[in-house]
Amino acid sequence: MKETLMKMLEEREEEIIQIRRYLHENPELSFKEENTAKYIEDFYKGKDVEVQTNVGNGYGIIVTIKGAKPGKTIGLRADFDALPIVEETPVPFKSKNEGVMHACGHDGHTAYLLVLADCLIQLKSELSGTIKIIHQHAEEVPPGGAKSIVESGLIDDLDEVYGIHLLPMGPAGLVGYHAGFAFNGRAYMKLKIQGRGGHGSSPHLANDAIVAGAHFVTAVQTIISRRLSPFDIGVITIGSFDGKGTFNVIKDSVELEADIRYMTVETKETIEREIRRLVKGLEEEFGVTCELTYTPDYPPVYNNPELTAKVAETLKNANDPHIKEVREFPALAPSEDFAYYAEKFPACFFYIGCTPEGVEDPYFNHHPKFDIDEASLLVAAKAVGQVVCSLQE
């Protein structure tokens, strides 16, 4: 089966590329991917599979491929939403939707998985177990699509789940992996500090919210430097401080917003606890009142060590000319709602190098000039295909 599947994928490489280019030209934002979902649904029309649409809190799609032989039920996931970015790449298949761009590789994720799924459908008679293809909406915007798909109950029977991400951390042909906590979790914070406005000449008759806010900006960084172990990873970025007013008026209130990242559940709990403690202290020290909104978004991605070791071994022993190097990657700072699958099922989320050929300093995901070497799409399809075949043995 493996040899047949690899040959089928090689013969359909151009099709994968063309699907990716079509999706790249027609990106849609999270929770608004109606046409993309319709395109995916149409791809499966007439094929001998069960297709469930509008899964979860948006346009999620689950395609169930039942093999002729008993075996595990595994999930393969790809996301299909785009970002609110004005594209600046020179490619001829540039986005037709102004201000929307596939700047994270989700077009490539969907393209490879569509063709891989079709090949697996054709090989159903040789397939052991069941494969659930998870075409997921809204990865980029919390609460995301993954959590709602997990909560739908439609994938409760999974034994394992796998996914990949295109990353320009090496050339096409490179596959990366990382066992354990692999992607940061994240949370959103908004803090409104209410003081008392007044005349700039008479601060004793007012209560300056800017001074309290400025103190908080400095103090909150001590959570990272003085409350976390040096071996733990955490980031608190105050990305917005809305304190604009008039030069001779003491500000009545200010609002701060923060992006918070962490690599473990324990770190997540420590940061939230300490932020809440600092806010209470701010009220006491400055005599202000505070309104705190603290929303955990995505958990950290946890790659099951045993599954990840098997994936790495499978790909290192694949003897495939398109999979040229398999090596361990470091844990990565971004966040991914694949974490919700990994919370419930043994999971492995691994990485496909996609640095454009001849480029030494590639633009990273989410940049308006982000681009990929399309040779990486076949690598993704074959790498995931190799993993599927290894589970047949």
Side-chain angles (χ1 to χ4, degrees), residues 50-296:
E50 178 186 355
V51 179
Q52 294 164 294
T53 60
N54 299 318
V55 178
N57 58 357
Y59 295 103
I61 297 171
I62 296 177
V63 179
T64 302
I65 306 171
K66 294 182 178 179
K69 308 169 188 176
K72 292 182 177 180
T73 298
I74 67 167
L76 305 178
R77 175 269 203 172
D79 36 18
F80 59 78
D81 55 328
L83 288 156
I85 292 174
V86 177
E87 183 166 3
E88 296 179 11
T89 64
V91 297
F93 47 90
K94 193 173 179 179
S95 171
K96 294 177 181 177
N97 297 336
E98 184 65 25
V100 185
M101 177 190 175
H102 269 298
C104 200
H106 298 183
D107 49 347
H109 300 171
T110 300
Y112 101 78
L113 189 55
L114 283 171
V115 173
L116 174 60
D118 190 32
C119 293
L120 291 170
I121 291 167
Q122 294 178 49
L123 294 172
K124 283 174 64 173
S125 63
E126 301 179 46
L127 191 63
S128 298
T130 299
I131 298 174
K132 291 196 170 184
I133 305 296
I134 305 167
H135 292 290
Q136 186 207 304
H137 60 294
E139 186 277 329
E140 297 289 359
V141 176
K147 186 173 187 286
S148 68
I149 289 177
V150 170
E151 292 173 346
S152 73
L154 297 178
I155 58 172
D156 281 354
D157 55 346
L158 291 187
D159 293 301
E160 300 166 4
V161 61
Y162 299 88
I164 62 95
H165 208 300
L166 294 167
L167 293 175
M169 295 177 67
L174 171 65
V175 180
Y177 64 93
H178 186 90
F181 287 107
F183 270 66
N184 269 332
R186 77 180 183 201
Y188 165 79
M189 186 206 80
K190 181 166 76 172
L191 177 64
K192 181 178 181 180
I193 302 172
Q194 183 66 53
R196 182 179 180 183
H199 198 288
S201 67
S202 305
H204 62 295
L205 300 177
N207 193 0
D208 196 337
I210 284 183
V211 172
H215 177 83
F216 179 81
V217 170
T218 302
V220 79
Q221 295 306 323
T222 64
I223 295 174
I224 304 301
S225 66
R226 288 297 178 266
R227 293 292 176 262
L228 297 186
S229 162
F231 302 103
D232 293 337
I233 297 173
V235 177
I236 300 174
T237 297
I238 306 293
S240 174
F241 190 127
D242 184 6
K244 185 172 175 56
T246 304
F247 77 98
N248 63 346
V249 175
I250 291 173
K251 194 74 171 148
D252 185 65
S253 66
V254 296
E255 281 193 359
L256 294 77
E257 291 181 286
D259 177 60
I260 298 159
R261 308 278 173 152
Y262 35 81
M263 189 55 75
T264 68
V265 174
E266 291 75 18
T267 302
K268 165 186 176 292
E269 292 171 351
T270 298
I271 291 175
E272 180 175 357
R273 181 185 68 244
E274 293 299 318
I275 284 178
R276 293 187 183 279
R277 188 177 65 83
L278 278 178
V279 169
K280 287 181 180 179
L282 199 70
E283 291 181 318
E284 184 69 24
E285 182 176 1
F286 290 90
V288 297
T289 56
C290 295
E291 182 181 335
L292 175 66
T293 301
Y294 194 96
T295 308

